[in-house]
Amino acid sequence: MKTKNQFDKERLYATDDIFVSDGIKRKKQKERIFLEGKIKKKISKDVIIAWSILTPMLIWWLVVSGFPMLVGFVLGFFEWRNVNAVPKFVGIDNFIAFFKDETYLGDLGRTIVFGFGITLVTMLTSFACAFLLNRNIKLKGFLRSIWYIPAVTSPVAISHVMSLLFDPFKGVINRLLEGAGQEPIILATNIGWSIALIFIYSIWKGCGSGALIWLAGLQSIDPDLYEAAEIDGANKFHRFWSITLPGLKPISLYVFITGIISAFQIYEPIAFITNGGPYGATNVLALRIIQDGYQNFNFGMAGASGLLLAVLIMACSAFTYKAMTKDRGSL
Amino acid sequence: MSEGIKLKRSGSKKRENRAGNIIAYIILIPGGLIMVYPVLFIILASFFTPEEFNSTILNFFPIAENPTAVNWKNLIALGADKAIRNYYFNSIWTTLYATFCSVITSFLGGYIFARLKFRGRNALFTFMLMTNMVPGIIATLPTYLELVRFPFFGGNYVFTGGTGLFDCYGTYILLFGPCLNVMGTFLVKQQIEALPNSYEEAAKVDGAGFFRIVFVIVLPLVKPMLAFIAINTSIGCWNNWATPFYYTESADLQTIASAISRQSIFAGREGTIVDYPAIMSYSLLLTIPSVILFFCFQKYIIQGLVHVGLKG
């Protein structure tokens, strides 16, 4: 259709610059009007099909995510304590309250620390795993599938297995520790282990799938480059530094940004393993938003925290994107 | 080709290579065991009866003294009690529905944004991609508020009382419904743009209509990508505990995943002991299908993941 349209257009404007008599001009004009109509008709058919299919999907999108997102952006500026109450506009009072309250600030700090910590550690471990999985060993395919399994298992189920292992009464780990004469790990009071468990869970969950993405990046690098470098006498470290790392830049950007987005919203391990405890030492903003919304019915405060978290995540990803693409122009 | 290079390498390099491989085995095989460990634990724990489960402390690899299949029998739909059958039913139909909707919207959306020309196409698509960058946490509560006050449903007339679409099958129908799947649309669009236009042209000359072209000619060409989207959505929806947990209340609307979260959160709220046998059997129901699905379709998953990573 594109070519046919172009063909019509060519016929249409072919005579524009040529000197022709009035009669022919008029004839051409008539033809032009006719053809223009035809082209318009063709375009409009495309448009009709496109919009008649897109409109229902877009309306559905508006209802399911567009409108809630919009509400999410303004909810923080209202005071709203009951579903049936009328929301009252209070300006930035909620945000002031947020920055005055130490628990909220603590949650924000922990969100940032956990977010960056989990993302970086997961990135490094999965990067190392990708190198190992890239070796030409037996069981390669099988090991890759096995390592990907955490990504498809249910976070709820796995969190419960973990909390069962560390259960003060029924957990095998505490029984073994007691048998060895050590202090048992009680998650309700042990801050260090609570944080460690959340990290372990997140690394376990993200390592395999991250490794497969890194692996794709490693395999997309042209092997001729390595060969050429080897002939030129570059050693292993040199090859890694000046071929592998630059070649992995786009992938690392992708892994980092997706990692940040999910790690800043980390919820399941915290809700099901530590439940924010001990004494709020693992509470993060995502958990606080849910508590504010569903237990305290303080929608305004939850909206404010949600907006701050979302802005933080978007700023982080935008900043990383800018910083990584600056020196190369584009990816 | 790599074999050829290897042959040229000296003996010391070969030895180095073998040492590296051994290190890889040493790390990857125990690591792989750790990766599947929770699934193994769930499977092994399922051979315990609830009484035995409660009275003993489970080992790292719990092996029941008298393994019984009573749990397995209880979990299969025929032997299951009504509550579990309900969870099953809800999990399955929401997953099928969500998968169908997301595949169809990403496919049609991807084709439309790739091939059909209309004013504002690129602007609209860029806008959709940008909204996709907004983290989901911001919409969690507003969705709840919207559902509760959804007009004309559940005894709700324009913002007066009622429960709207909260806590009914309509909740799932709305939330998992055919809303434009932006990420899927993006992937399909990229794939279609990389394809040559000539098949569609030929079909058009032969007088094929839009749906004929789309479903007979384009669909087979983007099947792997659609399979990736389908598997991703279905595993995501199967494991999705948050939607039922936040947006419904009654027990017969829960899915398997939300049944687990309700068990432990309500136990925590009311200060009772968490019912681990029940949680373990629900976990079994939850993990086995997704692991099986993954092993059946891992080719598509890994292909799609590679594509997303390299071009996303």
Side-chain angles (χ1 to χ4, degrees):
Chain A
M1 184 187 55
K2 192 178 159 195
T3 49
K4 217 176 169 193
N5 265 347
Q6 277 172 349
F7 174 67
D8 282 351
K9 261 184 196 160
E10 270 168 27
R11 256 176 75 196
L12 197 52
Y13 298 108
T15 53
D16 265 2
D17 305 342
I18 304 167
F19 176 78
V20 280
S21 74
D22 274 6
I24 295 174
K25 244 186 187 168
R26 217 169 296 139
K27 211 175 154 194
K28 285 277 166 196
Q29 229 162 18
K30 264 186 188 168
E31 197 183 350
R32 179 182 294 181
I33 290 164
F34 172 69
L35 279 174
E36 259 176 3
K38 235 169 114 184
I39 292 172
K40 262 190 190 148
K41 221 176 169 184
K42 281 250 168 71
I43 291 172
S44 67
K45 200 181 157 197
D46 253 18
V47 173
I48 288 171
I49 293 175
W51 283 111
S52 59
I53 295 173
L54 277 182
T55 313
M57 300 198 295
L58 286 175
I59 289 176
W60 210 289
W61 177 86
L62 272 181
V63 172
V64 171
S65 58
F67 180 68
M69 215 180 274
L70 198 70
V71 173
F73 275 111
V74 297
L75 189 61
F77 299 99
F78 287 88
E79 175 162 343
W80 193 355
R81 286 185 180 276
N82 187 339
V83 182
N84 289 321
V86 179
K88 197 177 96 195
F89 183 78
V90 290
I92 57 166
D93 280 8
N94 283 330
F95 295 94
I96 294 172
F98 183 99
F99 284 106
K100 272 187 183 160
D101 193 333
E102 261 178 33
T103 54
Y104 281 101
L105 284 181
D107 292 345
L108 182 65
R110 275 186 292 274
T111 305
I112 293 170
V113 172
F114 286 6
F116 279 114
I118 287 170
T119 309
L120 289 177
V121 178
T122 312
M123 260 177 100
L124 288 178
T125 46
S126 58
F127 187 66
C129 289
F131 268 94
L132 294 176
L133 286 170
N134 197 22
R135 299 191 78 90
N136 203 4
I137 52 175
K138 282 173 196 165
L139 296 173
K140 191 168 58 180
F142 178 70
L143 282 172
R144 281 179 197 171
S145 332
I146 291 287
W147 276 70
Y148 190 74
I149 279 186
V152 299
T153 50
S154 158
V156 200
I158 306 306
S159 307
H160 282 96
V161 172
M162 268 188 110
S163 55
L164 175 62
L165 290 179
F166 280 87
D167 194 272
F169 307 112
K170 291 193 56 58
V172 59
I173 288 171
N174 281 330
R175 198 191 50 166
L176 288 181
L177 283 177
E178 269 171 30
Q182 304 280 326
E183 285 276 298
I185 299 166
I186 308 292
L187 286 183
T189 54
N190 194 326
I191 293 176
W193 268 100
S194 297
I195 294 173
L197 268 191
I198 286 160
F199 270 75
I200 290 170
Y201 171 88
S202 309
I203 294 163
W204 175 84
K205 182 98 186 147
C207 186
S209 51
L212 285 192
I213 295 175
W214 283 115
L215 194 60
L218 281 178
Q219 287 173 347
S220 73
I221 297 172
D222 190 358
D224 291 354
L225 285 176
Y226 287 107
E227 228 174 295
E230 208 169 350
I231 289 165
D232 288 348
N235 63 18
K236 239 179 180 174
F237 176 75
H238 266 132
R239 272 178 278 153
F240 176 76
W241 188 255
S242 37
I243 299 174
T244 312
L245 279 189
L248 288 177
K249 215 167 179 185
I251 286 277
S252 61
L253 181 69
Y254 171 78
V255 174
F256 185 74
I257 289 181
T258 49
I260 283 284
I261 291 174
S262 68
F264 270 56
Q265 300 180 67
I266 182 170
Y267 184 78
E268 282 99 353
I270 294 181
F272 298 120
I273 297 176
T274 66
N275 198 11
Y279 324 117
T282 55
N283 211 341
V284 289
L285 269 188
L287 197 67
R288 177 72 65 191
I289 290 167
I290 300 299
Q291 284 169 353
D292 267 349
Y294 288 94
Q295 285 163 30
N296 307 336
F297 295 105
N298 191 348
F299 302 123
M301 218 45 217
S305 327
L307 183 57
L308 280 173
L309 183 56
V311 169
L312 189 69
I313 292 171
M314 287 189 281
C316 275
S317 12
F319 178 75
T320 332
Y321 188 79
K322 273 270 155 59
M324 292 283 281
T325 50
K326 193 174 60 182
D327 46 337
R328 287 182 58 183
S330 68
L331 278 171
Chain B
M1 197 178 76
S2 62
E3 293 300 313
I5 295 167
K6 253 185 203 161
L7 284 179
K8 273 185 222 158
R9 279 181 181 163
S10 59
S12 72
K13 269 231 160 110
K14 244 183 194 168
R15 217 171 300 137
E16 201 176 286
N17 229 357
R18 189 170 297 157
N21 281 355
I22 289 169
I23 293 174
Y25 281 125
I26 289 172
I27 295 175
L28 288 180
I29 292 176
L33 191 64
I34 294 173
M35 293 295 145
V36 290
Y37 172 70
V39 181
L40 279 182
F41 185 89
I42 291 168
I43 294 175
L44 288 172
S46 74
F47 289 106
F48 285 75
T49 58
E51 295 77 35
E52 197 184 352
F53 193 103
N54 277 331
S55 60
T56 55
I57 291 175
L58 300 188
N59 276 322
F60 273 115
F61 291 98
I63 301 201
E65 270 177 32
N66 333 296
T68 56
V70 64
N71 269 327
W72 290 77
K73 217 167 88 190
N74 285 347
L75 294 176
I76 299 167
L78 291 175
D81 61 357
K82 197 163 167 287
I84 296 182
R85 249 183 299 173
N86 246 334
Y87 300 150
Y88 241 140
F89 172 71
N90 287 329
S91 277
I92 289 172
W93 84 260
T94 51
T95 303
L96 290 180
Y97 176 64
T99 309
F100 175 76
C101 289
S102 91
V103 168
I104 203 90
T105 56
S106 7
F107 175 56
L108 288 178
Y111 182 80
I112 288 170
F113 280 113
R115 286 282 198 258
L116 299 189
K117 290 189 183 64
F118 54 93
R119 194 171 290 166
R121 180 182 75 168
N122 291 338
L124 179 65
F125 192 70
T126 317
F127 172 73
M128 295 303 282
L129 270 186
M130 274 168 64
T131 58
N132 206 35
M133 299 289 152
V134 178
I137 188 96
I138 198 170
T140 314
L141 259 186
T143 307
Y144 166 75
L145 295 170
E146 184 194 0
L147 285 176
V148 171
R149 299 192 130 197
F150 209 88
F152 309 121
F153 281 98
N156 206 1
Y157 302 99
V158 194
F159 307 129
T160 50
T163 53
L165 274 179
F166 179 73
D167 193 24
C168 59
Y169 285 108
T171 317
Y172 296 135
I173 293 175
L174 179 76
L175 292 182
F176 293 133
C179 104
L180 187 70
N181 178 348
V182 181
M183 202 58 214
T185 303
F186 175 67
L187 293 174
V188 174
K189 175 177 177 265
Q190 268 189 331
Q191 194 113 87
I192 290 179
E193 274 170 349
L195 293 172
N197 209 344
S198 46
Y199 288 124
E200 296 151 55
E201 291 295 338
K204 214 169 269 172
V205 171
D206 288 349
F210 173 80
F211 284 101
R212 210 187 163 99
I213 291 173
V214 166
F215 284 105
V216 178
I217 294 168
V218 185
L219 184 71
L221 296 173
V222 292
K223 232 185 199 164
M225 188 47 82
L226 292 183
F228 173 67
I229 294 168
I231 296 159
N232 248 0
T233 319
S234 53
I235 290 178
C237 184
W238 184 260
N239 290 338
N240 182 349
W241 60 276
T243 305
F245 187 77
Y246 292 140
Y247 308 134
T248 67
E249 236 168 25
S250 42
D252 52 341
L253 279 173
Q254 301 306 316
T255 62
I256 304 170
S258 69
I260 299 180
S261 56
R262 276 162 76 95
Q263 283 283 346
S264 77
I265 286 188
F266 288 161
R269 223 175 264 170
E270 286 151 22
T272 51
I273 294 170
V274 182
D275 184 7
Y276 276 119
I279 286 179
M280 284 300 127
S281 51
Y282 296 153
S283 301
L284 183 75
L285 281 180
L286 199 56
T287 38
I288 298 303
S290 52
V291 170
I292 289 173
L293 201 66
F294 164 68
F295 271 110
C296 292
F297 295 100
Q298 55 172 320
K299 193 181 87 190
Y300 294 116
I301 295 183
I302 289 173
Q303 261 178 17
L305 203 72
V306 167
H307 183 93
V308 173
L310 290 181
K311 298 193 178 136

